[in-house]
Amino acid sequence: MKTRDEAVRESGRLLCSQGFAEERYIDAMIQNVKENGTYIVIAPGIAMPHARPECGANKIGIS
């Protein structure tokens, strides 16, 4: 992956493939980063992109 958005999309696809989220959740995560910045980075090479539950989250998960 070459960009931040590609990494978020891939992590979102993993969540969707396992039923943790709907496809629209991926766009919501990317929009959240655009609006609020990269506070999602918790350590070098580790980030926790997320969005509001009502944006397509089905259950708690991590990818």
Side-chain angles (χ1 to χ4, degrees), residues 2-53:
K2 295 182 181 181
T3 69
R4 172 194 69 205
D5 289 358
E6 287 175 339
V8 173
R9 283 195 189 285
E10 182 58 28
S11 67
R13 279 192 285 273
L14 291 169
L15 291 171
C16 292
S17 72
Q18 297 298 311
F20 288 96
E22 300 169 15
E23 290 287 328
R24 63 190 178 108
Y25 191 75
I26 298 170
D27 291 328
M29 288 191 298
I30 290 171
Q31 188 61 38
N32 186 42
V33 175
K34 288 179 180 176
E35 290 176 6
N36 298 304
T38 56
Y39 72 94
I40 63 169
V41 176
I42 59 172
I46 301 172
M48 293 183 70
H50 56 281
R52 301 283 310 158

